[in-house]
Amino acid sequence: MGLFRLGFISVYLSEPLLSGFVTGSSLTIITSQMKYILGLKIPRREGAGAVIMTWIDVFSNLKSINICDLVTSAVAMVVMLPIKILNDLYKSKMKVPFPVELFVIIVATLVSHFFNFNSKYNSSICGTIPTGFMPPKAPQWGLIQTVATDAIPIAIIGFAMTVSLAEIFAKKHGYTVSTTQEMIAIGMCNIIPSFFHSFASCAALGKTLLKESTGASTQLNGIVSSIVLLLVLLSIAPLFYSLQTCILGVITAINFKSAIMKFGDTPKMWRISKMDTMVWWVSMLASTVISSEIGLLVSVCFSMLCVIFRTQRPRATLLGQVSGTEIYEDQLKYKQLDNVPNIKIYRFDCSLYYANKDYFKSTLYSKTGVNPSLVLTLQRKVKKEEDNTNTQAKCSFFSKLNIIKLECKPHKSTDTAIPAINLHSLIIDCSAMQFVDSVGLSVLKETRNDYGEIGIRVFLANCNPSVRQLLRRGEFFSGANNCVGEHAFYSVHDAVTFAERQFQKETRLKHNEGSFSATSEGGNEGTKQ
């Protein structure tokens, strides 16, 4: 994936999605630690619904809580939480945060060893930890055909989890992440250890948050961690024999407090963006209730559906002119805007494509108050009624003169009224349209033609170069002698000025034609006399 530079897939992991995913995964990990914190002997649940089943097991076995583990966990929390909070408050003044986790582990191990919690109170301890290394061995190449289909989704999920954590901490600490480099790094971290009996690896949420909370911020922490782990595997492991497992559970749970505190940010997030808040909650719930892997997939799909929904029903509004300026703003957001007489300026705040073409037309008809198809239908109906009335009058005239005998059926006149149209130009502000597909181009053509049939001219404004190029290729201006300048303008004000000038020009021509016709009729009557 790294060699083929497939890092672009990380763009589908939005910030609300990643934040909800981390919070949901944090709840999952905290839930998995509850049996250690309370000293319960319950089975480990896996797969979809593991969190719910685990909590059912916890509440079903409350009578079996180990009091020693419960008291130890409570004391450890009381000691650790204040110090962790102080470390966060004064981290800018402290060169090195106080290592409260190490302090608690040392004290808890000594207390458990000398008071013999394991034998007296049946408290769970780490016990014997295997030491040493297994000799390296080549992988079994014959298994590749069997595991290849499973390796693909594991690789994608591992990459997604790694990049999600990297993006979160990159934003927090102010650096950038190369997704392609991350892919190559994850690949190398799995290829080389495959010769040393290693599991498939990716970034671990619990360990990452634990390291970050203790002040680790550079690659040096990886070297230190490796050295400490090497010492544990070779010689120090027996010293942790008496360490209670509840202490490890408390340390893990407390270091997820920053992710759990994200719940407090949801009211603010709701005020800013309701859609992003829904993405956060879906991501959190899916990662918690279902599983981390499937939850991530569900979250990505839901996030993409939200993007599609946003583009299907974007904001559409009419613009008004700011007094004394060439600026045009939304009439719903700004007051005291001037309406341009007999001109409507319509803005569609999204790209025009096949999914929102019907919404574009419906909002356009609603905002302008003119449905060209309906107006044209009424005009044709009125014309047909007038033709029928004239035909009936001719039949009556000929029957009186007894020239011909016709059977003329009486026609009932109907009061069909054509709505008044105080509009001569429609300007579509395309500033928010990043692209227009072939369906959107057809909609623009239909809009121009439909309004043109009822005498309303349509102009486009603020088209970006790619949209103008598409209009040329699609012969949008073919009806206007392919002249782009007469129907597409660089600003709304240019379009308004041109529309007013054209209307005044047409009005003068009609007035001159009317005067000429009246003069001609008067001259003919004088000649006859």
PDB file of all heavy atoms in Angstrom, residues 382-408:
ATOM      1  N   VAL A 382     -54.439  29.675 -21.946  1.00  0.00           N
ATOM      2  CA  VAL A 382     -55.145  30.921 -22.245  1.00  0.00           C
ATOM      3  C   VAL A 382     -55.207  31.168 -23.750  1.00  0.00           C
ATOM      4  O   VAL A 382     -56.242  31.578 -24.295  1.00  0.00           O
ATOM      5  CB  VAL A 382     -54.459  32.103 -21.523  1.00  0.00           C
ATOM      6  CG1 VAL A 382     -55.017  33.430 -22.013  1.00  0.00           C
ATOM      7  CG2 VAL A 382     -54.628  31.967 -20.023  1.00  0.00           C
ATOM      8  N   LYS A 383     -54.111  30.885 -24.426  1.00  0.00           N
ATOM      9  CA  LYS A 383     -54.100  31.056 -25.879  1.00  0.00           C
ATOM     10  C   LYS A 383     -55.098  30.129 -26.563  1.00  0.00           C
ATOM     11  O   LYS A 383     -55.800  30.514 -27.505  1.00  0.00           O
ATOM     12  CB  LYS A 383     -52.693  30.804 -26.414  1.00  0.00           C
ATOM     13  CG  LYS A 383     -52.559  31.059 -27.911  1.00  0.00           C
ATOM     14  CD  LYS A 383     -51.132  30.841 -28.365  1.00  0.00           C
ATOM     15  CE  LYS A 383     -51.014  31.105 -29.875  1.00  0.00           C
ATOM     16  NZ  LYS A 383     -49.633  30.870 -30.359  1.00  0.00           N
ATOM     17  N   LYS A 384     -55.201  28.899 -26.064  1.00  0.00           N
ATOM     18  CA  LYS A 384     -56.150  27.942 -26.632  1.00  0.00           C
ATOM     19  C   LYS A 384     -57.575  28.411 -26.398  1.00  0.00           C
ATOM     20  O   LYS A 384     -58.451  28.309 -27.288  1.00  0.00           O
ATOM     21  CB  LYS A 384     -55.926  26.575 -26.002  1.00  0.00           C
ATOM     22  CG  LYS A 384     -56.796  25.481 -26.600  1.00  0.00           C
ATOM     23  CD  LYS A 384     -56.475  24.141 -25.969  1.00  0.00           C
ATOM     24  CE  LYS A 384     -57.351  23.039 -26.564  1.00  0.00           C
ATOM     25  NZ  LYS A 384     -57.046  21.708 -25.953  1.00  0.00           N
ATOM     26  N   GLU A 385     -57.861  28.956 -25.221  1.00  0.00           N
ATOM     27  CA  GLU A 385     -59.190  29.477 -24.940  1.00  0.00           C
ATOM     28  C   GLU A 385     -59.514  30.665 -25.834  1.00  0.00           C
ATOM     29  O   GLU A 385     -60.648  30.812 -26.323  1.00  0.00           O
ATOM     30  CB  GLU A 385     -59.288  29.876 -23.467  1.00  0.00           C
ATOM     31  CG  GLU A 385     -59.246  28.687 -22.518  1.00  0.00           C
ATOM     32  CD  GLU A 385     -59.250  29.116 -21.071  1.00  0.00           C
ATOM     33  OE1 GLU A 385     -59.198  30.345 -20.827  1.00  0.00           O
ATOM     34  OE2 GLU A 385     -59.300  28.235 -20.185  1.00  0.00           O
ATOM     35  N   GLU A 386     -58.525  31.527 -26.079  1.00  0.00           N
ATOM     36  CA  GLU A 386     -58.751  32.666 -26.969  1.00  0.00           C
ATOM     37  C   GLU A 386     -59.028  32.199 -28.393  1.00  0.00           C
ATOM     38  O   GLU A 386     -59.910  32.741 -29.086  1.00  0.00           O
ATOM     39  CB  GLU A 386     -57.538  33.605 -26.932  1.00  0.00           C
ATOM     40  CG  GLU A 386     -57.365  34.326 -25.609  1.00  0.00           C
ATOM     41  CD  GLU A 386     -56.111  35.177 -25.603  1.00  0.00           C
ATOM     42  OE1 GLU A 386     -55.322  35.061 -26.571  1.00  0.00           O
ATOM     43  OE2 GLU A 386     -55.912  35.939 -24.631  1.00  0.00           O
ATOM     44  N   ASP A 387     -58.283  31.182 -28.839  1.00  0.00           N
ATOM     45  CA  ASP A 387     -58.520  30.649 -30.175  1.00  0.00           C
ATOM     46  C   ASP A 387     -59.920  30.051 -30.284  1.00  0.00           C
ATOM     47  O   ASP A 387     -60.619  30.235 -31.297  1.00  0.00           O
ATOM     48  CB  ASP A 387     -57.475  29.590 -30.516  1.00  0.00           C
ATOM     49  CG  ASP A 387     -56.086  30.190 -30.655  1.00  0.00           C
ATOM     50  OD1 ASP A 387     -56.006  31.420 -30.862  1.00  0.00           O
ATOM     51  OD2 ASP A 387     -55.098  29.437 -30.547  1.00  0.00           O
ATOM     52  N   ASN A 388     -60.369  29.344 -29.261  1.00  0.00           N
ATOM     53  CA  ASN A 388     -61.714  28.771 -29.280  1.00  0.00           C
ATOM     54  C   ASN A 388     -62.777  29.854 -29.296  1.00  0.00           C
ATOM     55  O   ASN A 388     -63.807  29.744 -29.972  1.00  0.00           O
ATOM     56  CB  ASN A 388     -61.915  27.869 -28.063  1.00  0.00           C
ATOM     57  CG  ASN A 388     -61.090  26.604 -28.146  1.00  0.00           C
ATOM     58  OD1 ASN A 388     -60.724  26.155 -29.225  1.00  0.00           O
ATOM     59  ND2 ASN A 388     -60.770  26.033 -26.995  1.00  0.00           N
ATOM     60  N   THR A 389     -62.538  30.942 -28.570  1.00  0.00           N
ATOM     61  CA  THR A 389     -63.491  32.055 -28.543  1.00  0.00           C
ATOM     62  C   THR A 389     -63.571  32.725 -29.909  1.00  0.00           C
ATOM     63  O   THR A 389     -64.657  33.065 -30.404  1.00  0.00           O
ATOM     64  CB  THR A 389     -63.063  33.077 -27.479  1.00  0.00           C
ATOM     65  OG1 THR A 389     -62.977  32.427 -26.215  1.00  0.00           O
ATOM     66  CG2 THR A 389     -64.066  34.226 -27.401  1.00  0.00           C
ATOM     67  N   ASN A 390     -62.431  32.918 -30.569  1.00  0.00           N
ATOM     68  CA  ASN A 390     -62.422  33.523 -31.905  1.00  0.00           C
ATOM     69  C   ASN A 390     -63.117  32.637 -32.915  1.00  0.00           C
ATOM     70  O   ASN A 390     -63.858  33.112 -33.799  1.00  0.00           O
ATOM     71  CB  ASN A 390     -60.975  33.775 -32.345  1.00  0.00           C
ATOM     72  CG  ASN A 390     -60.304  34.832 -31.495  1.00  0.00           C
ATOM     73  OD1 ASN A 390     -60.970  35.702 -30.930  1.00  0.00           O
ATOM     74  ND2 ASN A 390     -58.979  34.764 -31.391  1.00  0.00           N
ATOM     75  N   THR A 391     -62.921  31.308 -32.802  1.00  0.00           N
ATOM     76  CA  THR A 391     -63.585  30.368 -33.714  1.00  0.00           C
ATOM     77  C   THR A 391     -65.094  30.423 -33.551  1.00  0.00           C
ATOM     78  O   THR A 391     -65.864  30.422 -34.532  1.00  0.00           O
ATOM     79  CB  THR A 391     -63.074  28.943 -33.455  1.00  0.00           C
ATOM     80  OG1 THR A 391     -61.664  28.911 -33.610  1.00  0.00           O
ATOM     81  CG2 THR A 391     -63.721  27.956 -34.416  1.00  0.00           C
ATOM     82  N   GLN A 392     -65.579  30.513 -32.308  1.00  0.00           N
ATOM     83  CA  GLN A 392     -67.012  30.598 -32.050  1.00  0.00           C
ATOM     84  C   GLN A 392     -67.591  31.891 -32.614  1.00  0.00           C
ATOM     85  O   GLN A 392     -68.689  31.911 -33.182  1.00  0.00           O
ATOM     86  CB  GLN A 392     -67.271  30.512 -30.547  1.00  0.00           C
ATOM     87  CG  GLN A 392     -68.746  30.476 -30.183  1.00  0.00           C
ATOM     88  CD  GLN A 392     -68.947  30.372 -28.691  1.00  0.00           C
ATOM     89  OE1 GLN A 392     -67.981  30.405 -27.948  1.00  0.00           O
ATOM     90  NE2 GLN A 392     -70.199  30.246 -28.282  1.00  0.00           N
ATOM     91  N   ALA A 393     -66.836  32.973 -32.523  1.00  0.00           N
ATOM     92  CA  ALA A 393     -67.316  34.263 -33.057  1.00  0.00           C
ATOM     93  C   ALA A 393     -67.424  34.210 -34.570  1.00  0.00           C
ATOM     94  O   ALA A 393     -68.377  34.725 -35.164  1.00  0.00           O
ATOM     95  CB  ALA A 393     -66.359  35.380 -32.630  1.00  0.00           C
ATOM     96  N   LYS A 394     -66.463  33.554 -35.232  1.00  0.00           N
ATOM     97  CA  LYS A 394     -66.518  33.423 -36.695  1.00  0.00           C
ATOM     98  C   LYS A 394     -67.705  32.574 -37.122  1.00  0.00           C
ATOM     99  O   LYS A 394     -68.378  32.866 -38.115  1.00  0.00           O
ATOM    100  CB  LYS A 394     -65.219  32.808 -37.200  1.00  0.00           C
ATOM    101  CG  LYS A 394     -64.025  33.738 -37.087  1.00  0.00           C
ATOM    102  CD  LYS A 394     -62.767  33.076 -37.626  1.00  0.00           C
ATOM    103  CE  LYS A 394     -61.573  34.020 -37.512  1.00  0.00           C
ATOM    104  NZ  LYS A 394     -60.331  33.370 -38.006  1.00  0.00           N
ATOM    105  N   CYS A 395     -67.997  31.515 -36.377  1.00  0.00           N
ATOM    106  CA  CYS A 395     -69.139  30.656 -36.713  1.00  0.00           C
ATOM    107  C   CYS A 395     -70.450  31.440 -36.636  1.00  0.00           C
ATOM    108  O   CYS A 395     -71.330  31.317 -37.498  1.00  0.00           O
ATOM    109  CB  CYS A 395     -69.193  29.464 -35.772  1.00  0.00           C
ATOM    110  SG  CYS A 395     -67.842  28.290 -36.017  1.00  0.00           S
ATOM    111  N   SER A 396     -70.571  32.281 -35.623  1.00  0.00           N
ATOM    112  CA  SER A 396     -71.791  33.093 -35.481  1.00  0.00           C
ATOM    113  C   SER A 396     -71.925  34.081 -36.633  1.00  0.00           C
ATOM    114  O   SER A 396     -73.016  34.314 -37.178  1.00  0.00           O
ATOM    115  CB  SER A 396     -71.754  33.841 -34.143  1.00  0.00           C
ATOM    116  OG  SER A 396     -71.683  32.930 -33.079  1.00  0.00           O
ATOM    117  N   PHE A 397     -70.796  34.664 -37.046  1.00  0.00           N
ATOM    118  CA  PHE A 397     -70.818  35.645 -38.122  1.00  0.00           C
ATOM    119  C   PHE A 397     -71.264  35.028 -39.449  1.00  0.00           C
ATOM    120  O   PHE A 397     -72.145  35.530 -40.138  1.00  0.00           O
ATOM    121  CB  PHE A 397     -69.428  36.264 -38.255  1.00  0.00           C
ATOM    122  CG  PHE A 397     -69.320  37.224 -39.423  1.00  0.00           C
ATOM    123  CD1 PHE A 397     -69.881  38.498 -39.360  1.00  0.00           C
ATOM    124  CD2 PHE A 397     -68.674  36.833 -40.586  1.00  0.00           C
ATOM    125  CE1 PHE A 397     -69.782  39.365 -40.441  1.00  0.00           C
ATOM    126  CE2 PHE A 397     -68.569  37.695 -41.655  1.00  0.00           C
ATOM    127  CZ  PHE A 397     -69.121  38.969 -41.589  1.00  0.00           C
ATOM    128  N   PHE A 398     -70.699  33.878 -39.805  1.00  0.00           N
ATOM    129  CA  PHE A 398     -71.048  33.225 -41.065  1.00  0.00           C
ATOM    130  C   PHE A 398     -72.475  32.683 -41.049  1.00  0.00           C
ATOM    131  O   PHE A 398     -73.148  32.645 -42.075  1.00  0.00           O
ATOM    132  CB  PHE A 398     -70.057  32.091 -41.374  1.00  0.00           C
ATOM    133  CG  PHE A 398     -68.740  32.589 -41.865  1.00  0.00           C
ATOM    134  CD1 PHE A 398     -67.586  32.354 -41.135  1.00  0.00           C
ATOM    135  CD2 PHE A 398     -68.653  33.304 -43.055  1.00  0.00           C
ATOM    136  CE1 PHE A 398     -66.369  32.819 -41.591  1.00  0.00           C
ATOM    137  CE2 PHE A 398     -67.427  33.754 -43.502  1.00  0.00           C
ATOM    138  CZ  PHE A 398     -66.273  33.527 -42.764  1.00  0.00           C
ATOM    139  N   SER A 399     -72.960  32.219 -39.900  1.00  0.00           N
ATOM    140  CA  SER A 399     -74.330  31.698 -39.843  1.00  0.00           C
ATOM    141  C   SER A 399     -75.351  32.810 -40.033  1.00  0.00           C
ATOM    142  O   SER A 399     -76.416  32.603 -40.612  1.00  0.00           O
ATOM    143  CB  SER A 399     -74.556  30.997 -38.508  1.00  0.00           C
ATOM    144  OG  SER A 399     -74.421  31.920 -37.443  1.00  0.00           O
ATOM    145  N   LYS A 400     -75.058  34.034 -39.600  1.00  0.00           N
ATOM    146  CA  LYS A 400     -75.968  35.156 -39.803  1.00  0.00           C
ATOM    147  C   LYS A 400     -76.043  35.549 -41.263  1.00  0.00           C
ATOM    148  O   LYS A 400     -77.080  35.939 -41.785  1.00  0.00           O
ATOM    149  CB  LYS A 400     -75.513  36.360 -38.965  1.00  0.00           C
ATOM    150  CG  LYS A 400     -75.746  36.167 -37.475  1.00  0.00           C
ATOM    151  CD  LYS A 400     -75.273  37.389 -36.695  1.00  0.00           C
ATOM    152  CE  LYS A 400     -75.495  37.186 -35.206  1.00  0.00           C
ATOM    153  NZ  LYS A 400     -75.034  38.369 -34.432  1.00  0.00           N
ATOM    154  N   LEU A 401     -74.940  35.480 -41.967  1.00  0.00           N
ATOM    155  CA  LEU A 401     -74.926  35.839 -43.397  1.00  0.00           C
ATOM    156  C   LEU A 401     -75.462  34.712 -44.283  1.00  0.00           C
ATOM    157  O   LEU A 401     -75.605  34.885 -45.483  1.00  0.00           O
ATOM    158  CB  LEU A 401     -73.493  36.192 -43.821  1.00  0.00           C
ATOM    159  CG  LEU A 401     -72.890  37.451 -43.167  1.00  0.00           C
ATOM    160  CD1 LEU A 401     -71.469  37.635 -43.640  1.00  0.00           C
ATOM    161  CD2 LEU A 401     -73.733  38.686 -43.479  1.00  0.00           C
ATOM    162  N   ASN A 402     -75.724  33.534 -43.648  1.00  0.00           N
ATOM    163  CA  ASN A 402     -76.208  32.366 -44.387  1.00  0.00           C
ATOM    164  C   ASN A 402     -75.284  31.995 -45.542  1.00  0.00           C
ATOM    165  O   ASN A 402     -75.714  31.549 -46.601  1.00  0.00           O
ATOM    166  CB  ASN A 402     -77.623  32.595 -44.935  1.00  0.00           C
ATOM    167  CG  ASN A 402     -78.644  32.710 -43.819  1.00  0.00           C
ATOM    168  OD1 ASN A 402     -78.543  31.995 -42.827  1.00  0.00           O
ATOM    169  ND2 ASN A 402     -79.601  33.634 -43.977  1.00  0.00           N
ATOM    170  N   ILE A 403     -73.995  32.223 -45.333  1.00  0.00           N
ATOM    171  CA  ILE A 403     -73.034  31.864 -46.376  1.00  0.00           C
ATOM    172  C   ILE A 403     -72.781  30.374 -46.345  1.00  0.00           C
ATOM    173  O   ILE A 403     -72.834  29.678 -47.349  1.00  0.00           O
ATOM    174  CB  ILE A 403     -71.721  32.649 -46.205  1.00  0.00           C
ATOM    175  CG1 ILE A 403     -71.999  34.137 -46.354  1.00  0.00           C
ATOM    176  CG2 ILE A 403     -70.681  32.188 -47.215  1.00  0.00           C
ATOM    177  CD1 ILE A 403     -70.792  35.002 -46.112  1.00  0.00           C
ATOM    178  N   ILE A 404     -72.520  29.860 -45.146  1.00  0.00           N
ATOM    179  CA  ILE A 404     -72.301  28.437 -44.979  1.00  0.00           C
ATOM    180  C   ILE A 404     -73.017  27.999 -43.730  1.00  0.00           C
ATOM    181  O   ILE A 404     -73.351  28.821 -42.840  1.00  0.00           O
ATOM    182  CB  ILE A 404     -70.788  28.102 -44.891  1.00  0.00           C
ATOM    183  CG1 ILE A 404     -70.141  28.904 -43.736  1.00  0.00           C
ATOM    184  CG2 ILE A 404     -70.091  28.352 -46.206  1.00  0.00           C
ATOM    185  CD1 ILE A 404     -68.695  28.533 -43.531  1.00  0.00           C
ATOM    186  N   LYS A 405     -73.246  26.749 -43.654  1.00  0.00           N
ATOM    187  CA  LYS A 405     -73.929  26.192 -42.498  1.00  0.00           C
ATOM    188  C   LYS A 405     -72.927  25.347 -41.710  1.00  0.00           C
ATOM    189  O   LYS A 405     -72.423  24.348 -42.195  1.00  0.00           O
ATOM    190  CB  LYS A 405     -75.108  25.342 -42.942  1.00  0.00           C
ATOM    191  CG  LYS A 405     -75.958  24.847 -41.766  1.00  0.00           C
ATOM    192  CD  LYS A 405     -77.144  24.076 -42.282  1.00  0.00           C
ATOM    193  CE  LYS A 405     -78.013  23.616 -41.099  1.00  0.00           C
ATOM    194  NZ  LYS A 405     -79.195  22.856 -41.564  1.00  0.00           N
ATOM    195  N   LEU A 406     -72.638  25.812 -40.515  1.00  0.00           N
ATOM    196  CA  LEU A 406     -71.679  25.108 -39.666  1.00  0.00           C
ATOM    197  C   LEU A 406     -72.330  24.770 -38.335  1.00  0.00           C
ATOM    198  O   LEU A 406     -73.182  25.517 -37.840  1.00  0.00           O
ATOM    199  CB  LEU A 406     -70.427  25.968 -39.406  1.00  0.00           C
ATOM    200  CG  LEU A 406     -69.590  26.329 -40.639  1.00  0.00           C
ATOM    201  CD1 LEU A 406     -68.499  27.308 -40.233  1.00  0.00           C
ATOM    202  CD2 LEU A 406     -68.978  25.079 -41.243  1.00  0.00           C
ATOM    203  N   GLU A 407     -71.931  23.642 -37.805  1.00  0.00           N
ATOM    204  CA  GLU A 407     -72.387  23.264 -36.469  1.00  0.00           C
ATOM    205  C   GLU A 407     -71.296  23.641 -35.463  1.00  0.00           C
ATOM    206  O   GLU A 407     -70.261  23.000 -35.374  1.00  0.00           O
ATOM    207  CB  GLU A 407     -72.659  21.751 -36.403  1.00  0.00           C
ATOM    208  CG  GLU A 407     -73.829  21.325 -37.261  1.00  0.00           C
ATOM    209  CD  GLU A 407     -74.097  19.844 -37.129  1.00  0.00           C
ATOM    210  OE1 GLU A 407     -73.343  19.194 -36.350  1.00  0.00           O
ATOM    211  OE2 GLU A 407     -75.030  19.348 -37.779  1.00  0.00           O
ATOM    212  N   CYS A 408     -71.531  24.712 -34.794  1.00  0.00           N
ATOM    213  CA  CYS A 408     -70.532  25.211 -33.821  1.00  0.00           C
ATOM    214  C   CYS A 408     -71.027  24.935 -32.418  1.00  0.00           C
ATOM    215  O   CYS A 408     -72.101  25.405 -32.035  1.00  0.00           O
ATOM    216  CB  CYS A 408     -70.302  26.722 -33.991  1.00  0.00           C
ATOM    217  SG  CYS A 408     -69.649  27.153 -35.614  1.00  0.00           S
TER     218      CYS A 408
END
